[in-house]
Amino acid sequence: MTLLAVERMKLFTTRSPWWCALVALAVTIGFSALVVGEAADSGPFAPTVASTQFGYSFGMAVIMVLAALAVTTEYRFGTIRTTFQAVPNRTAALVAKATVVALVALVIGELSAFGSWGIANLLKPNAPLALDSGADWINVAGVGAVYALAAVIAVAVGILLRHSAGAIALLLIYALAVENLVRLIPGIGDDIYQWLPFNVANKFLTGDGASDLGRNAEAGAPLSNAVLSQGWSLAYFAAVAVALLAIAIGVARKRDA
């Protein structure tokens, strides 16, 4: 618990987490307001629960920036050496850091998801936006879990690269572009894409489209083509995050700080 408290204090004594949290909330809730505001009040093009979460991937990108900076800033200013001197068990120190960042990401994710859903209800009070099913609840409440695991991935990349610009560039390019570009590979692109982590995370959130009332053209981001069920999709994404963190910690233990 002491390590967690220390990591919490280190995280929130800098400005970047506060700015990243505000940007993540503004981006996700702002996108929801734009999408829902342009939708019809009723009929086939009325907003759905899923369309309120249209901007979650953009907020997730900001969360990964926050998580990467939580690690790379320490390497940049050399404070990671002090951390490892105070806590010779590097595994415990880095796991504590990843846990704190993941918990912060979880809270931001829930605030952004329910904030997006709330603003949609204010803008379109007559639209079918009630959380009436498990699929609806997962589509909204599940955003926090995805943000938390994405933050763990970002922490792992930050540990491996130790350079802010490089880690952030790699994370953003991969999450926002590379996975979709894989689909362009002739013959095997779609088969590979089915197992890529952020596509699988999207499957956890959207499932088979039950929270989108049939997925009309205005109903937000496209459905995932991942072959796993929603529950196994979350487990798969979590396994990827934990595996990357384990690799990163193993590398950190063997090299100089």
Side-chain angles (χ1 to χ4, degrees):
M1 293 301 293
T2 301
L3 283 177
L4 294 176
V6 170
E7 291 299 332
R8 175 183 57 80
M9 287 187 289
K10 285 198 295 185
L11 182 65
F12 286 108
T13 51
T14 59
R15 295 179 181 178
S16 58
W18 298 102
W19 281 110
C20 287
L22 290 174
V23 171
L25 291 170
V27 168
T28 51
I29 296 174
F31 264 98
S32 176
L34 287 173
V35 171
V36 173
E38 293 297 320
D41 291 329
S42 60
F45 295 105
T48 64
V49 171
S51 63
T52 67
Q53 305 304 311
F54 182 80
Y56 93 90
S57 60
F58 299 103
M60 182 174 65
V62 179
I63 291 300
M64 289 193 293
V65 170
L66 183 160
L69 287 175
V71 178
T72 57
T73 301
E74 283 210 63
Y75 279 106
R76 177 184 176 189
F77 293 105
T79 56
I80 195 71
R81 298 188 185 93
T82 304
T83 298
F84 289 156
Q85 287 172 353
V87 186
N89 186 343
R90 295 188 179 187
T91 298
L94 294 173
V95 167
K97 183 181 290 294
T99 300
V100 169
V101 174
L103 289 174
V104 171
L106 174 65
V107 172
I108 296 173
E110 296 301 334
L111 290 175
S112 65
F114 281 98
S116 297
W117 177 75
I119 196 69
N121 276 277
L122 289 175
L123 292 173
K124 302 291 182 180
N126 298 320
L129 297 175
L131 302 179
D132 291 330
S133 67
D136 293 333
W137 278 101
I138 290 174
N139 209 164
V140 179
V143 171
V146 171
Y147 276 22
L149 293 172
V152 173
I153 291 174
V155 167
V157 172
I159 295 170
L160 289 170
L161 296 187
R162 301 192 292 183
H163 190 274
S164 298
I168 291 171
L170 176 61
L171 288 165
L172 295 186
I173 291 172
Y174 178 82
L176 299 178
V178 171
E179 286 201 359
N180 287 322
L181 292 176
V182 167
R183 305 184 73 175
L184 300 179
I185 300 175
I188 61 172
D190 281 337
D191 293 332
I192 297 173
Y193 182 67
Q194 290 177 353
W195 296 96
L196 295 181
F198 290 101
N199 177 45
V200 175
N202 189 45
K203 178 60 176 286
F204 163 65
L205 291 178
T206 60
D208 297 321
S211 61
D212 248 349
L213 305 178
R215 299 293 299 187
N216 61 59
E218 301 296 324
L223 286 175
S224 167
N225 68 343
V227 297
L228 298 174
S229 66
Q230 282 184 282
W232 281 111
S233 292
L234 179 62
Y236 179 87
F237 192 51
V240 170
V242 171
L244 282 175
L245 182 62
I247 293 170
I249 291 173
V251 171
R253 292 180 61 185
K254 292 180 179 179
R255 69 186 179 193
D256 295 333

